[in-house]
């Protein structure tokens, strides 16, 4: 009985943490994301470091960058370590327009 109660309490704690994260996400990601085109991405990239260039996806969104203007992480590089390793392995340096595959 004690073990079952402890397991239930842990599950409830995990659920509450998940709900808090979702609430924070939804507070800064209301409405629709900003969609970009090639010209805007080119202009923005002129003022960005070489290791943080924006890549336009076919959808108009940016690869590895938040496109919600109200988000505190808007246009910040959100690449994971796995993404960075994969990019280094491919030797990818030049393309600013990402393909359909991610």
């Amino acid at each position: 009985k004690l073990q079952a109660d402890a397991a239930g309490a842990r599950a409830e704690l995990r659920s509450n943490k998940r709900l808090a994260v979702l609430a924070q996400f939804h507070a800064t990601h209301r409405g629709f994301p900003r969609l970009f085109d090639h010209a805007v991405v080119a202009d923005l990239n002129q003022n960005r470091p070489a290791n943080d260039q924006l890549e336009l996806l076919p959808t108009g969104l940016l690869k590895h960058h938040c496109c919600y203007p109200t988000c505190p992480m808007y246009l910040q590089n959100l690449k994971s370590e796995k993404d960075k390793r994969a990019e280094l392995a491919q030797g990818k340096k030049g393309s600013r327009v990402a393909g359909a595959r991610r």
Side-chain angles (χ1 to χ4, degrees):
K1 172 106 170 105
L2 288 176
Q3 209 171 18
D5 289 346
R10 285 192 306 272
E12 186 176 348
L13 182 63
R14 282 193 308 271
S15 179
N16 289 340
K17 285 181 181 178
R18 205 173 304 122
L19 289 173
V21 168
L22 282 173
Q24 182 181 9
F25 178 85
H26 288 298
T28 58
H29 294 84
R30 294 192 184 282
F32 295 99
R34 177 179 176 188
L35 298 179
F36 296 84
D37 61 27
H38 293 282
V40 172
V41 170
D43 287 343
L44 290 170
N45 278 338
Q46 289 179 359
N47 300 318
R48 297 179 71 85
N51 65 347
D52 188 21
Q53 294 287 292
L54 302 173
E55 294 181 58
L56 184 64
L57 295 172
T59 60
L61 298 173
L62 301 173
K63 186 175 183 180
H64 301 303
H65 293 76
C66 183
C67 296
Y68 284 86
T70 58
C71 177
M73 301 296 286
Y74 180 63
L75 297 184
Q76 291 186 28
N77 191 343
L78 302 172
K79 285 182 193 173
S80 68
E81 288 303 315
K82 183 178 177 182
D83 295 327
K84 292 173 187 176
R85 285 192 304 270
E87 193 171 271
L88 284 174
Q90 289 179 347
K92 182 179 174 185
K93 296 285 186 212
S95 175
R96 295 293 169 253
V97 177
R101 290 182 45 188
R102 291 177 61 187

